[in-house]
Amino acid sequence: MSRSAPFLITGLLSLMALGAATGIASADPAAKAAPSATPTTATPTTTTSATATQAAAAKKVIAKNPVVATVDGHAIHLSDVARAAQALPAQLQNATPQQLYPVLLNRLIEERALLVQARKTDIAKQKDIEAAMRHAQDRVLETAYLRAQVEPHLTNAAVSAYYKAHYVDKKQPHQVKASQILLKTKADAEKVIAKLKGGAKFAALAVKYNPQSKDGGELGWFTRKDMVKPFADAAFALKPGTYTKTPVQSSFGWHVIMSEGKRVEPVPALADVKSTIKRKLAEQWINKTMTHARASVKISMFNPDGTPIKQTPVPSSAAPAKAGATPAAPK
């Protein structure tokens, strides 16, 4: 689901609820509200009250999950419209709920109408169509099973436990804050170092020799793994406030480096890494589930010429742990 989908769903439901509660929302995008004879200015209290009323109306409509259309007796519910919003293409993500509702509703109506017509024919009995339908059904079942195995391990408690183990309690890497001047040749780098020894300002030289570096060559804070080894080794060996007295060569060229500080990488706030932690937990439990599934069945594999492929047995300990257990740290 895209990042905008939850907003779109909420907006659609709120719009439809407001329409049901007030009678002013319309599925017709061309419909316009009649202008008021006497313009008025809403006070903050009035606006807050109206928003609260709309929210309450939305909750009531959502809970009822009303029928929003029927096609040959088949009911299309509000939840069907919300589900369709999750699959919207990127170009529609910025559309307003007023624009989206009629689009989604008419799409659902057309899909159902096509299905009604298709069922009146023998097309479902064609072998390729039967195979495609079975394939689609299998994919839905596989996805549902995988979700059922993974989602119980993505709770707030599991995220908090991972955060404590891998951020709060884990020793964080050291960081260096540095600036650099990148030169094409060793001779050029030696000239820059000579100018620094003569009292020239590092930032001014960085702008002169690296015009694209308008911030004086500043690289910000980084760990060893963030940089190529020759550069990282030189930067971490410097004391804050000093620069390299000999040029440092890497695959990018010749560097003159100025150290501006050292520290231990700060522990990020849980809110800033929550989505990352959830992704890592999901990846691990997906892998565990897939490994367990393979270990639970008999598999034979063959090369294109029909000769068998030798397989490495999967250890039986690959079975997923019970929901709620804290998984081992993903590598």
Side-chain angles (χ1 to χ4, degrees), residues 2 16 49 62 87 104 115 126 146 175 182 222 228-229 237 327:
S2 68
M16 290 180 274
S49 176
I62 292 170
L104 294 172
L115 183 58
Q126 296 179 11
L146 189 59
Q175 291 183 318
L182 181 61
F222 55 86
V228 292
K229 190 177 187 304

Side-chain angles (χ1 to χ4, degrees), residues 109-296:
I109 290 172
E110 289 169 355
E111 288 175 353
R112 176 54 55 173
L114 284 172
L115 183 58
V116 169
Q117 296 305 310
R119 285 176 173 170
K120 292 178 179 179
T121 69
D122 294 332
I123 193 170
K125 296 180 181 180
Q126 296 179 11
K127 290 185 178 181
D128 57 335
I129 302 301
E130 284 184 336
M133 291 172 67
R134 286 196 302 271
H135 179 78
Q137 187 177 30
D138 289 345
R139 298 295 81 78
V140 170
L141 185 58
E142 289 169 12
T143 301
Y145 173 76
L146 189 59
R147 184 183 296 113
Q149 299 302 309
V150 174
E151 286 187 346
H153 300 286
L154 307 183
T155 62
N156 288 334
V159 170
S160 296
Y162 185 98
Y163 175 71
K164 185 176 186 301
H166 300 282
Y167 291 92
V168 178
D169 295 342
K170 185 178 180 180
K171 185 178 180 180
Q172 299 300 308
H174 287 272
Q175 291 183 318
V176 163
K177 185 178 183 182
S179 297
Q180 74 155 344
I181 302 173
L182 181 61
L183 293 310
K184 292 183 178 180
T185 67
K186 182 178 181 181
D188 289 339
E190 289 174 339
K191 290 179 182 178
V192 168
I193 292 173
K195 290 182 179 182
L196 289 172
K197 290 179 179 179
K201 298 295 184 182
F202 193 97
L205 291 177
V207 173
K208 178 181 179 179
Y209 287 94
N210 302 145
Q212 72 279 10
S213 178
K214 298 180 181 179
D215 52 2
E218 290 186 6
L219 300 172
W221 292 99
F222 55 86
T223 64
R224 280 184 176 274
K225 67 180 182 180
D226 295 328
M227 301 295 180
V228 292
K229 190 177 187 304
F231 186 98
D233 288 346
F236 276 82
L238 289 171
K239 292 182 179 180
T242 65
Y243 58 86
T244 49
K245 299 304 188 292
T246 57
V248 178
Q249 185 181 21
S250 78
S251 57
F252 296 97
W254 293 88
H255 308 265
V256 179
I257 308 167
M258 166 75 81
S259 175
E260 299 173 3
K262 291 184 177 182
R263 71 179 184 182
V264 174
E265 184 175 351
V267 176
L270 174 58
D272 294 335
V273 294
K274 187 174 183 178
S275 59
T276 299
I277 293 174
K278 275 198 168 185
R279 187 186 71 250
K280 289 182 176 180
L281 291 174
E283 288 173 353
Q284 177 163 357
W285 286 105
I286 287 172
N287 289 335
K288 281 180 175 287
T289 302
M290 297 296 290
T291 302
H292 175 61
R294 288 182 67 97
S296 302

